[in-house]
């Protein structure tokens, strides 16, 4: 990564989801979602952002998920703009969220609203793996 930590992308981001951490740009997912508007790429003097490439990560639903622990919750499904999270009915418990990695853009829209903090990013596996 060619990030110099200049912060130009942070200042330009209309969603205010970028920050500088350890001298490099980072996506602060709890702050909101990336809308892929491209202003960070336009503002960046280096080649840190690749237009149209998407995120290098996808979300995963952890064991702290309320629905996995018997509490009805569909917050992540409702927050996902890509409809990558659906819910699967089950007998004797609340519907379970299921994330389709192929539909997940990595935008982070589901992270902040999750009341259990159970959604985290994971580096995407290469498509040919």
């Amino acid at each position: 990564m060619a990030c110099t930590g200049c912060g130009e992308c942070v200042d330009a981001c209309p969603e205010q989801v970028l920050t500088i951490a350890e001298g490099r740009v980072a996506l602060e997912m709890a702050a909101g979602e990336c809308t892929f508007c491209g202003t960070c790429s336009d503002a960046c003097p280096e080649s840190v952002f690749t237009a149209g490439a998407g995120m290098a990560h996808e979300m995963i639903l952890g064991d702290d998920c309320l629905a996995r622990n018997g509490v009805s919750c569909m917050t992540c499904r409702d927050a996902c703009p890509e409809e990558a999270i659906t819910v699967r009915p089950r007998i004797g418990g609340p519907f379970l969220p299921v994330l389709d990695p192929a539909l997940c853009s990595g935008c982070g829209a589901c992270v902040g609203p999750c009341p259990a903090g159970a959604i985290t990013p994971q580096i995407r596996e290469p498509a040919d793996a």
Side-chain angles (χ1 to χ4, degrees):
M1 180 186 281
C3 182
T4 62
C6 71
E8 294 294 324
C9 58
V10 174
D11 295 338
C13 179
E15 306 302 330
Q16 300 179 335
V17 295
L18 296 178
T19 187
I20 299 296
E22 298 178 19
R24 292 188 169 161
V25 65
L27 182 62
E28 182 58 50
M29 291 182 203
E33 73 179 280
C34 174
T35 60
F36 303 99
C37 67
T39 57
C40 56
S41 180
D42 294 342
C44 183
E46 305 298 331
S47 58
V48 174
F49 303 94
T50 306
M55 298 289 185
H57 60 265
E58 62 199 12
M59 299 300 129
I60 57 169
L61 306 174
D63 292 336
D64 291 338
C65 171
L66 293 179
R68 291 183 180 180
N69 288 287
V71 178
S72 183
C73 181
M74 296 185 196
T75 304
C76 59
R77 181 207 61 184
D78 295 344
C80 182
E82 306 298 335
E83 297 181 0
I85 303 172
T86 57
V87 291
R88 183 179 64 225
R90 67 178 174 157
I91 296 173
F95 289 15
L96 288 176
V98 178
L99 188 136
D100 182 346
L103 295 177
C104 180
S105 68
C107 72
C110 57
V111 175
C114 177
I119 304 172
T120 56
Q122 170 180 289
I123 297 297
R124 285 188 193 273
E125 294 294 324
D128 56 81

